Amino acid sequence: MAGTPLSFVATGAATVVVTDAISGLVMHRSPVSSPAWTLDVPVSWPSSLYRATFAAAGAVPRIDSAGDDEAWFVVRSAMPVAPILVSVPFATWQAYNRAGEPSEGLYYAEEPTRATAVTFDRPGGGPPPERWEEPLLRWLRAAGYPVEFCSNLDLHLDPAVLDGRRALIVCAHDEYWTWEQRDAVEAFVRRGGNLAVLGANTAWWQMRLEDGGRTMVCHRDATTDPMSTVDPGRVTVEWSSAPVNRPENAMTGVSFRRGAGAWGDGMAVIGQETFTARFASHWVFDGTGVSDGDKFGQGTLGYETDAADIVDVDGVPRATGRDGTPPSFVVLATADLRHWRRYGQGGAATMGVFDLGAGTVFTAATVNWGKGLSDPVVDRITRNVLDRFTSGGARDGWTVIGPPAELHALTSCDGAFYAVAADGGLRAREACPQNLPWRRVGEAPALLCIASPREAAGAMLQGLWALTTTGRLCYRDPAFDAVPWTDVTAAPPGAHSLALCDAGLFAATSDDTLWYLPALELRTGAWRPIGTAGGALALTTLGGRLYGITAADRIVSRPPVAAPHPFTDVCDAAGSRTLAAHAGRLVGAGPGTPLRHRLPPLS
């Protein structure tokens, strides 16, 4: 931390040069006359990644190549203020330190002579020759983003480093995570922080820290890890493997299990690959100018990528969740890298975004993201993510979840959205944030609106309810088959909107009256007026409240009481003319407008 001393050990007399590894500025130069040398880090030093290079007395320390005569460290701010915290993957750097040397390196994975524990108190352990992290770190500062840095070990040893942050960036190749580190990051996101994984092969191995954080343990084999008989969840194997069984997908949305890798001579292929945009109307692509199917980011993919298990739904990719990917995961772009099998591991790359608690996670799904920032599309995507993550995050207005369609009625039921199209057909698609196309599943003859209750009540079944142009209330089972509509009872005169809540039916009429019918009296048609409809042109229910859209393009709300009660203004309607609700979000659509959703603003 800035303002605190940092101790080093140097063999014999030496000279040391300390540079800011991001700006390249020399911050300190002095002789070292004893094995124990202390650097008093000035309070004025910015939070950054630093490199101390030592040389024999009289020699000039080199600052342009890696070696055992250097030590890398991060300086944290004494008084953190930046909304973005960048985690530097020191654990992964140390894991690769002395790879292949018996009892010295944690690599290679299946060598019987590999180490199972290594100390941070040894030479080396800096970034690999490819410097996967460096381009992103330099870009962040050049782009003017207020960022501070920490070691990824800080997330384990001092999770309070996340307090007050709006976003955490995990960059490039952050392969080794402790249980405590992962808990800290997931808790940060769940309580409203945001996570940008601008890398890949993330959280592949579970490790442990011992000796106060100075020793890194990773057996990579449950049968040799003594923790197997003590606390199986802490065994140092892949996060997705037994006995840990905590797939990293739950935190990142993707995994190296379905990703790709090109190693050795095969790394030359990195510059040849591109992403394909699959959801170009999503906010992540705002201002990029790309359309679905466009290629972008050449040179960005590699040397390792992460992916989710996906299926094709009428030409659109959809995450299955079979590998632990959350159901809210949205596929933004993909790359088919199955041909990388000849270079190492064939697979794919899946760029995506999803909600985790009150926060949002974006994953770039490639170690090499930073080197692709010269591509204007990659640059703009990164800015879009960081700008949103440091502003409103998950509650920042409406998000597109589907393509425009000519819809004039909408509801959700039984895990699907149902809509009445302008041609009189009933459309349906999975109720998810992916941009899936609508399928025609039947007819919607003369329907003005459709609605569905969150819970069944008496004769009010959990299905599709609708008002017709002939003044009738009708019902249909929720199904993708062409099942018939059943006439139930009369609707209030002039009724055009319907919502079902708290064991009752609410209808708005053309004279701005709100009508009520208890579910127990459903067959009687004995509707009664209960006050103004608040100018609502469409109704829905969410979380035990009525919501409506007005002609002024506003969302209004009131409790579902069977008595007069004013509607209150909630938020803008983003051009929607019909309204539904699903999984805690309002969902809006209209003629020619995209399908969108949003969290209701907090009162």
Side-chain angles (χ1 to χ4, degrees):
M1 184 175 294
T4 59
L6 184 62
S7 297
F8 296 81
V9 175
T11 303
T15 300
V16 63
V17 171
V18 180
T19 57
D20 182 329
I22 299 174
S23 69
L25 294 176
V26 174
M27 307 296 290
H28 178 88
R29 187 191 303 268
S30 69
V32 178
S33 58
S34 66
W37 176 70
T38 299
L39 172 66
D40 292 318
V41 180
V43 175
S44 61
W45 278 19
S47 178
S48 189
L49 175 64
Y50 290 86
R51 176 188 183 196
T53 307
F54 295 81
V60 178
R62 49 166 192 80
I63 59 173
D64 58 351
S65 60
D68 284 355
D69 56 352
E70 65 183 17
W72 294 75
F73 60 96
V74 159
V75 170
R76 289 164 46 189
S77 295
M79 297 182 64
V81 294
I84 302 173
L85 183 68
V86 182
S87 174
V88 180
F90 279 90
T92 299
W93 293 354
Q94 191 60 252
Y96 281 83
N97 189 13
R98 288 161 168 71
E101 296 183 23
S103 303
E104 291 287 332
L106 289 176
Y107 273 85
Y108 294 97
E110 297 176 357
E111 287 185 338
T113 59
R114 74 186 185 279
T116 58
V118 295
T119 177
F120 288 96
D121 298 326
R122 60 176 181 166
E130 297 83 9
R131 301 290 181 91
W132 303 114
E133 293 76 22
E134 186 174 282
L136 174 63
L137 303 186
R138 292 183 182 275
W139 180 91
L140 286 167
R141 184 169 290 178
Y145 283 98
V147 300
E148 292 168 5
F149 297 82
C150 73
S151 161
N152 65 330
L153 305 179
D154 290 326
L155 300 173
H156 170 109
L157 299 167
D158 184 17
V161 72
L162 290 165
D163 291 350
R165 311 291 185 177
R166 302 300 300 273
L168 172 69
I169 295 177
V170 170
C171 60
H173 194 191
D174 199 346
E175 185 177 356
Y176 288 79
W177 287 54
T178 68
W179 186 280
E180 292 81 0
Q181 177 188 357
R182 184 166 169 185
D183 276 357
V185 171
E186 291 185 359
F188 165 72
V189 180
R190 289 186 184 281
R191 64 177 179 260
N194 300 294
L195 174 63
V197 184
L198 305 183
N201 195 218
T202 306
W204 179 246
W205 295 103
Q206 178 169 215
M207 66 160 178
R208 296 195 300 272
L209 292 179
E210 297 179 354
D211 303 327
R214 301 311 302 164
T215 298
M216 175 181 175
V217 178
C218 190
H219 288 260
R220 300 180 177 224
D221 187 340
T223 63
T224 64
D225 191 335
M227 194 61 72
S228 293
T229 59
V230 179
D231 187 352
R234 303 302 183 97
V235 169
T236 52
V237 293
E238 297 99 327
W239 281 97
S240 59
S241 295
V244 178
N245 298 317
R246 188 181 176 185
E248 62 275 21
N249 304 57
M251 178 179 68
T252 65
V254 291
S255 170
F256 186 59
R257 278 170 291 154
R258 296 189 179 274
W263 304 292
D265 294 340
M267 289 177 69
V269 76
I270 293 175
Q272 303 172 15
E273 310 294 350
T274 58
F275 275 110
T276 299
R278 308 303 297 269
F279 193 172
S281 57
H282 195 276
W283 62 260
V284 166
F285 287 104
D286 285 352
T288 62
V290 302
S291 301
D292 287 343
D294 286 354
K295 307 290 186 180
F296 69 93
Q298 183 169 359
T300 303
L301 288 155
Y303 79 121
E304 292 173 344
T305 68
D306 288 346
D309 181 50
I310 61 177
V311 294
D312 183 280
V313 180
D314 297 333
V316 175
R318 172 74 170 115
T320 67
R322 292 182 297 220
D323 52 351
T325 297
S328 63
F329 187 86
V330 175
V331 179
L332 300 171
T334 58
D336 185 348
L337 303 173
R338 286 175 292 180
H339 60 285
W340 278 20
R341 188 176 305 279
R342 73 188 71 170
Y343 310 114
Q345 176 175 314
T350 312
M351 181 193 302
V353 65
F354 69 100
D355 296 326
L356 181 61
T360 303
V361 179
F362 169 81
T363 179
T366 172
V367 166
N368 210 30
W369 183 259
K371 291 189 177 181
L373 285 164
S374 58
D375 183 304
V377 175
V378 175
D379 179 286
R380 185 57 186 264
I381 288 172
T382 309
R383 293 176 187 271
N384 287 343
V385 170
L386 297 183
D387 291 347
R388 188 175 180 100
F389 280 8
T390 53
S391 57
R395 291 192 177 271
D396 191 17
W398 295 87
T399 295
V400 174
I401 62 172
E406 294 297 318
L407 308 176
H408 68 256
L410 179 70
T411 194
S412 70
C413 185
D414 203 21
F417 292 131
Y418 290 87
V420 177
D423 63 0
L426 186 67
R427 300 287 198 272
R429 50 154 283 187
E430 181 188 354
C432 71
Q434 191 67 55
N435 56 327
L436 302 180
W438 291 95
R439 296 179 178 179
R440 189 181 182 108
V441 296
E443 300 304 315
L447 297 189
L448 293 170
C449 61
I450 52 176
S452 179
R454 182 168 66 175
E455 297 177 345
M460 190 173 73
L461 304 178
Q462 194 173 19
L464 305 182
W465 296 82
L467 298 179
T468 71
T469 56
T470 58
R472 304 297 297 176
L473 174 72
C474 58
Y475 171 82
R476 179 191 190 275
D477 286 335
F480 280 26
D481 301 323
V483 297
W485 290 90
T486 302
D487 184 83
V488 178
T489 192
H496 56 67
S497 302
L498 180 69
L500 292 74
C501 189
D502 191 30
L505 292 82
F506 297 82
T509 56
S510 55
D511 62 357
D512 199 34
T513 300
L514 190 65
W515 296 73
Y516 176 73
L517 177 64
L520 294 177
E521 302 174 17
L522 181 62
R523 301 291 177 179
T524 68
W527 296 84
R528 62 178 184 267
I530 57 171
T532 177
L537 304 177
L539 293 173
T540 193
T541 59
L542 172 63
R545 290 185 67 85
L546 296 179
Y547 287 85
I549 289 180
T550 71
D553 199 38
R554 303 298 297 176
I555 302 292
V556 295
S557 179
R558 60 157 278 178
V561 293
H565 196 286
F567 278 83
T568 58
D569 187 82
V570 174
C571 62
D572 71 284
S576 296
R577 285 295 176 265
T578 185
L579 195 63
H582 175 72
R585 283 178 164 80
L586 295 169
V587 184
T593 64
L595 189 69
R596 299 183 178 95
H597 73 183
R598 67 161 296 156
L599 289 168
L602 297 174
S603 58

